[in-house]
Amino acid sequence: MHFLLKRAEKIGKIVNGSKEIHIVTHIDADGITAGTIAYQTLKRLGKECSIEFIKDLDSDILERLKNDNHELVWFTDLGSSISTDTPEISKIITDHHACQENSNKSFHLNPHLFGLDGSFEISGAGVTYLVSRAIDRKNMDLTPLAIVGACGDLQDRRFRKLTGMNREILSDGESINAVKAKMDIRYFGRESRPIFKMLQFANDPIIPGLSGREQACVGFLQELGITMKDGDNWRKWIDLCKDERRLIISSIAQLLLTKGFGHKITKRIIGEVYILVNEQEGTEIHDSKEFATLLNSTARYGKCEVGLNVCLGDRDKWLAKARNLLLGHRQNLVVGLQFAKEEGIIKRKHLQFFHAGNGIRDTIVGIIANMLLNSEDVNSDLPLIGFANKGQGEVKVSARGTEELVEKGLNLSQAMKKAASALDSIGGGHDIAAGATIPKGKEEEFLELLEKEIKTQLSSRADVL
Ligand code: C5P
Ligand code: C5P
Ligand code: ZN
């Protein structure tokens, strides 16, 4: 048995031996699904339990948790940074963020402690699921949540499908007919967006001449003879027949190839998508990526109870609330992207950045940085850093890289952690995506520190190659 699974069993025993457990989780899709898996597991065991959602685990929160005196605190999708200290808090941690070797403690389940990469082999929801399954195999019905969590963290991105431990979770889901993997177009919105909108927002890969241009997308579909409406309803990707889908895919491939994008990028149009079999087709919760975006529209806006209730199975009032929040989230992304572009992306030698001030919420600046870095407007040769005011004299920093830069030695988790700690602040995450919170006014100093780190990372690897 994999050592990771042995650790999951040990942690399961700690859960079984406790009566009262408080869950602390992250405000994104992976955090909500991880928290829900833990919550369901505890409820099914008849434990007394509570849950809270936080942006980052900082010293104030740890101080409060110490004073709260819970019998056990279960950190999900966060917590790897604290496992070496704070013995005052009796805890278990199921996380997938980069962590130190010396945090290899019996109460901490993290892929990085077992030679696996937490940026794509398993997510916070995935490691939490392993503990849940170790407690009771009946919890295998929670696999859809683990798959949504992994897709929310873009873990299917590197290989255009889920790999590593995520694969094992997927086969659990398939064995009980709760999840189904199939090859299809990878663009977001297969089930819930009008086709021209799906193309307009295409960013992995971008479609030259179409991404970001609504009218061009409409024209492209008209030229191919695709009917865009069925009566009063916009047709979605899933409403098209096989021949129509094939025609669109081959035309996009043609566009990419003639613009010199090459086969490696062109191949990215197609990949695995994950269907939640028990949900209604054509809704935002039938496709795992769309489900993840729906969840991001809740807790990132302080509405964690909405995401939690949808994950717990509500398909009525809470789902309606989530759908409403999704409209706002989509609008915020469009406005935020525009704002960052207008504010201007400033290029330095080893990184590029924008400062959104109060123009973009601190909780979505990372999503926007990611979208920008994958858009036609921004050069993807340099990592992109986004700043947004967080309130109380603090600034949120989100950093995003590309697979190519990571292959060259970029490790944003380390760089952000180092630069932040030089300012007595906290930072971390994954090699390809990381975050930090720093004091307002220290942005320039932070950029200098970060740039130095990135330069060292990229040049030390260049020497080896
Ligand atoms: O907090 P957490 O681990 O849940 O978030 C992971 C972050 O890493 C997400 O913002 C996701 O978009 C980003 N990511 C990425 N590219 C990948 C994998 C993850 O941008 N290949
Ligand atoms: O917040 P943002 O989306 O930019 O975060 C990118 C990644 O860095 C996420 O995985 C997040 O959990 C992680 N992060 C972290 N420590 C911080 C801030 C973010 O590990 N202080
Ligand atoms: Zn996560």
Side-chain angles (χ1 to χ4, degrees):
M1 188 197 277
H2 200 289
F3 290 124
L4 187 88
L5 300 181
K6 284 211 174 114
R7 175 77 49 96
E9 279 190 352
K10 273 195 187 144
I11 293 179
K13 285 190 183 131
I14 303 178
V15 171
N16 274 319
S18 313
K19 285 201 195 73
E20 186 268 331
I21 302 167
H22 180 63
I23 302 158
V24 180
T25 195
H26 201 198
I27 56 161
D28 68 359
D30 189 32
I32 303 171
T33 47
T36 310
I37 292 170
Y39 191 77
Q40 278 281 33
T41 307
L42 298 179
K43 282 273 166 207
R44 288 173 180 181
L45 289 172
K47 306 281 179 193
E48 192 186 322
C49 64
S50 48
I51 180 166
E52 72 173 297
F53 295 77
I54 60 172
K55 282 186 194 176
D56 299 303
L57 197 51
D58 58 27
S59 51
D60 288 350
I61 292 175
L62 284 175
E63 203 50 46
R64 173 170 56 75
L65 287 170
K66 277 182 205 168
N67 295 329
D68 283 353
N69 262 324
H70 292 289
E71 186 185 337
L72 186 70
V73 179
W74 187 349
F75 293 98
T76 64
D77 192 34
L78 42 76
S80 47
S81 57
I82 49 138
S83 61
T84 48
D85 43 29
T86 59
E88 305 89 334
I89 303 175
S90 170
K91 60 190 164 302
I92 52 175
I93 301 169
T94 48
D95 191 12
H96 68 127
H97 291 101
C99 61
Q100 307 283 339
E101 277 283 302
N102 64 359
S103 59
N104 196 357
K105 297 280 159 61
S106 60
F107 53 81
H108 185 195
L109 183 66
N110 188 316
H112 293 281
L113 300 173
F114 299 91
L116 302 175
D117 187 330
S119 73
F120 68 95
E121 294 190 80
I122 190 163
S123 73
V127 277
T128 308
Y129 167 76
L130 293 183
V131 171
S132 175
R133 188 185 66 179
I135 289 172
D136 190 341
R137 290 194 72 80
K138 283 199 195 115
N139 292 331
M140 272 169 65
D141 65 341
L142 303 176
T143 40
L145 293 173
I147 299 299
V148 170
C151 292
D153 273 6
L154 308 186
Q155 299 212 324
D156 60 331
R157 190 168 153 199
R158 183 177 291 198
F159 297 105
R160 297 179 289 123
K161 62 178 183 186
L162 292 173
T163 53
M165 224 13 130
N166 278 323
R167 212 74 214 157
E168 182 171 326
I169 299 172
L170 176 63
S171 66
D172 277 0
E174 287 180 324
S175 73
I176 56 163
N177 203 23
V179 185
K180 199 170 139 228
K182 69 171 197 180
M183 295 298 280
D184 200 352
I185 199 158
R186 288 181 56 248
Y187 291 133
F188 181 85
R190 286 170 49 254
E191 298 222 12
S192 68
R193 275 192 165 156
I195 331 158
F196 73 94
K197 279 277 164 206
M198 184 186 83
L199 298 180
Q200 186 188 337
F201 286 95
N203 72 358
D204 181 19
I206 54 159
I207 313 173
L210 299 189
S211 295
R213 299 184 188 143
E214 185 178 278
Q215 270 318 306
C217 294
V218 171
F220 169 79
L221 293 168
Q222 278 169 341
E223 218 162 276
L224 295 179
I226 307 280
T227 317
M228 277 185 291
K229 273 191 144 179
D230 182 8
D232 283 341
N233 298 323
W234 290 108
R235 293 176 80 206
K236 322 271 164 60
W237 181 256
I238 51 161
D239 301 325
L240 303 183
C241 71
K242 220 174 182 175
D243 285 344
E244 290 175 309
R245 290 196 292 232
R246 220 177 263 157
L247 177 64
I248 295 177
I249 288 171
S250 63
S251 307
I252 296 172
Q254 203 66 41
L255 264 175
L256 281 159
L257 290 170
T258 52
K259 295 279 176 190
F261 279 79
H263 283 281
K264 196 172 164 203
I265 290 179
T266 305
K267 246 180 23 192
R268 295 191 62 78
I269 306 170
I270 301 288
E272 247 178 31
V273 300
Y274 304 99
I275 306 296
L276 307 194
V277 179
N278 299 324
E279 306 299 341
Q280 200 186 328
E281 189 178 36
T283 62
E284 296 84 352
I285 51 178
H286 192 240
D287 170 280
S288 61
K289 274 193 267 194
E290 297 197 42
F291 198 146
T293 299
L294 184 79
L295 295 180
N296 275 327
S297 316
T298 65
R300 283 182 194 263
Y301 297 87
K303 307 278 185 207
C304 39
E305 72 286 3
V306 180
L308 176 67
N309 278 294
V310 172
C311 286
L312 286 172
D314 179 279
R315 297 292 174 262
D316 193 14
K317 153 182 137 186
W318 294 105
L319 179 59
K321 282 189 191 206
R323 284 200 172 117
N324 232 348
L325 289 168
L326 179 62
L327 298 176
H329 180 52
R330 283 185 172 160
Q331 186 62 21
N332 285 339
L333 293 183
V334 172
V335 172
L337 276 170
Q338 197 54 38
F339 184 87
K341 278 186 214 160
E342 277 164 17
E343 212 45 29
I345 290 167
I346 298 165
K347 273 196 166 181
R348 296 166 71 121
K349 198 146 178 235
H350 303 283
L351 57 78
Q352 51 190 335
F353 76 97
F354 63 91
H355 199 316
N358 294 321
I360 297 177
R361 261 177 187 262
D362 61 317
T363 52
I364 62 164
V365 68
I367 303 183
I368 289 179
N370 213 355
M371 291 172 93
L372 277 173
L373 191 60
N374 288 294
S375 73
E376 251 181 321
D377 307 301
V378 175
N379 189 330
S380 59
D381 291 350
L382 293 171
L384 178 61
I385 317 299
F387 292 99
N389 292 345
K390 197 170 172 176
Q392 295 173 324
E394 288 183 326
V395 176
K396 172 69 202 278
V397 197
S398 277
R400 294 293 185 273
T402 60
E403 299 287 352
E404 288 73 23
L405 287 164
V406 168
E407 273 165 30
K408 285 182 186 157
L410 179 74
N411 185 333
L412 288 172
S413 170
Q414 268 176 24
M416 292 283 278
K417 192 174 175 196
K418 270 197 173 169
S421 68
L423 300 178
D424 278 331
S425 304
I426 303 173
H430 307 286
D431 49 12
I432 197 160
T437 299
I438 61 166
K440 190 154 176 47
K442 295 275 183 187
E443 290 90 329
E444 178 53 36
E445 200 178 323
F446 182 80
L447 282 172
E448 279 166 22
L449 289 159
L450 189 65
E451 191 166 26
K452 226 168 96 191
E453 283 301 322
I454 293 173
K455 182 183 170 196
T456 312
Q457 290 177 350
L458 295 175
S459 57
S460 64
R461 185 64 69 91
D463 292 343
V464 179
L465 295 177

